[in-house]
């Protein structure tokens, strides 16, 4: 770019400009990233690549048991996938069009496993926008926890919330909490989409250790509050593949 001065350099080159969404919510891009090989020194029975086939499907990691000798696999104790004619999850008495309901993929539902999931919203327009603030606090799952060690509660959730007001007091909030029937006044919060939460519009697995509740009767509540009348054009909330399982010792 030499002109009247000492500018005999090659100049500047610009290439491959793009605008893109930096995605932080994906588990994987290929199956190698799903390897569950244990850390060095892990104890016997730890999950490793001899015990599972590791797959990346739709940017989520899945692990299929190989059945090889000496492998330990989690054992399901109770589960709810919303596939049957009835559900163990109590939907309560809901009269609004915007509510919790079991919805099939044929009706527009997103599902994690199988053909159905539990959906909060209005299936006619696939939002949770109604005549006022959206409230769904009647859904509960009553559980008798076996008196065993190493029990876990697991579920998958898909949150399609309107994030326009996610940092204000009236933000849309999805919350999961547990109540021990021996102490009904105390709520143990298992999940809440705080302002730092980033996994929206993708299926995410959530797990909670039930060791402290072995042998007890508990209720798990799923609660949604939009907080106000505005910015309720998100798709809503989906829950699927709830289960209690015994992990590997």
């Amino acid at each position: 770019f030499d002109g009247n001065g000492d500018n005999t350099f090659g100049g500047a080159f610009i290439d491959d400009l793009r605008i893109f969404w930096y995605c932080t919510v994906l588990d994987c891009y290929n199956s190698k990233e799903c390897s569950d090989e244990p850390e060095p020194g892990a104890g016997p029975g730890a999950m490793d690549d001899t015990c599972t086939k590791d797959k990346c499907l739709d940017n989520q990691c899945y692990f299929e048991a190989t059945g090889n000798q000496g492998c330990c696999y989690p054992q399901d104790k109770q589960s709810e996938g919303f596939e049957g004619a009835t559900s163990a999850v109590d939907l309560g008495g809901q009269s609004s069009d915007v509510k919790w309901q079991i919805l099939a993929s044929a009706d527009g539902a997103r599902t994690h496993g199988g053909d159905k999931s539990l959906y909060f919203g209005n299936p006619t327009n696939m939002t949770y926008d109604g005549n006022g603030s959206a409230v769904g606090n009647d859904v509960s799952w009553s559980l008798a926890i076996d008196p065993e060690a190493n029990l876990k509660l697991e579920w998958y959730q898909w949150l399609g919330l309107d994030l326009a007001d996610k940092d204000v007091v009236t933000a849309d909030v999805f919350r999961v909490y547990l109540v021990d029937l021996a102490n009904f006044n105390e709520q143990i919060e298992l999940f809440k989409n705080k302002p730092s939460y980033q996994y929206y519009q993708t299926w995410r697995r959530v797990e909670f250790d039930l060791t402290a509740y072995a042998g007890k009767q508990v209720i798990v509540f799923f609660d949604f509050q939009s907080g106000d009348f505005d910015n309720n054009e998100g798709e809503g909330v989906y829950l699927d593949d709830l289960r209690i399982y015994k992990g590997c010792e």
Side-chain angles (χ1 to χ4, degrees):
F1 52 94
D2 189 24
N4 295 323
D6 188 14
N7 294 324
T8 56
F9 300 99
F13 298 88
I14 299 176
D15 199 359
D16 293 337
L17 279 70
R18 64 170 175 157
I19 296 175
F20 70 100
W21 179 265
Y22 181 72
C23 188
T24 61
V25 302
L26 303 181
D27 280 352
C28 59
Y29 289 99
N30 57 64
S31 295
K32 290 182 179 179
E33 296 178 353
C34 295
S35 173
D36 57 350
E37 190 73 31
E39 295 295 325
M47 298 292 284
D48 60 34
D49 288 337
T50 66
C51 296
T52 61
K53 297 177 182 178
D54 310 331
K55 299 179 181 179
C56 180
L57 301 174
D58 296 327
N59 301 115
Q60 295 286 305
C61 289
Y62 294 87
F63 305 100
E64 178 183 343
T66 62
N68 289 341
Q69 186 175 2
C71 292
C72 170
Y73 301 103
Q75 302 173 14
D76 283 1
K77 296 296 183 178
Q78 300 181 58
S79 62
E80 178 55 72
F82 307 106
E83 299 299 314
T86 60
S87 170
V89 174
D90 184 358
L91 301 184
Q94 303 179 89
S95 57
S96 170
D97 291 334
V98 181
K99 61 184 179 181
W100 288 103
Q101 58 219 286
I102 296 174
L103 202 63
S105 57
D107 298 318
R110 300 178 186 271
T111 63
H112 179 265
D115 183 55
K116 298 178 183 178
S117 62
L118 183 63
Y119 170 63
F120 179 80
N122 186 346
T124 61
N125 59 18
M126 301 308 288
T127 74
Y128 51 94
D129 188 23
N131 295 322
S133 61
V135 177
N137 57 2
D138 292 329
V139 171
S140 60
W141 192 22
S142 297
L143 300 167
I145 311 300
D146 291 341
E148 298 184 53
N150 206 26
L151 293 180
K152 312 284 186 181
L153 169 65
E154 173 190 85
W155 71 89
Y156 286 83
Q157 61 189 35
W158 192 99
L159 306 185
L161 308 188
D162 193 318
L163 302 182
D165 58 359
K166 74 181 183 68
D167 296 323
V168 300
V169 175
T170 56
D172 301 340
V173 174
F174 172 64
R175 190 167 71 103
V176 182
Y177 62 94
L178 177 147
V179 171
D180 181 352
L181 292 186
N183 186 12
F184 202 83
N185 293 324
E186 182 181 3
Q187 297 181 0
I188 308 300
E189 190 170 275
L190 310 185
F191 173 84
K192 182 179 180 180
N193 61 308
K194 299 176 181 178
S196 60
Y197 186 75
Q198 60 181 322
Y199 301 110
Y200 292 97
Q201 297 185 345
T202 186
W203 284 105
R204 297 299 297 182
R205 174 180 174 270
V206 183
E207 182 182 86
F208 179 76
D209 189 340
L210 291 172
T211 299
Y213 302 94
K216 295 185 177 183
Q217 300 275 342
V218 304
I219 302 177
V220 177
F221 291 90
F222 300 94
D223 179 82
F224 180 84
Q225 307 279 340
S226 71
D228 57 26
F229 297 3
D230 301 320
N231 299 320
N232 294 335
E233 287 78 33
E235 186 171 337
V237 177
Y238 295 93
L239 298 173
D240 206 354
D241 293 337
L242 287 63
R243 69 166 179 160
I244 292 178
Y245 71 93
K246 182 176 176 60
C248 293
E249 303 270 341

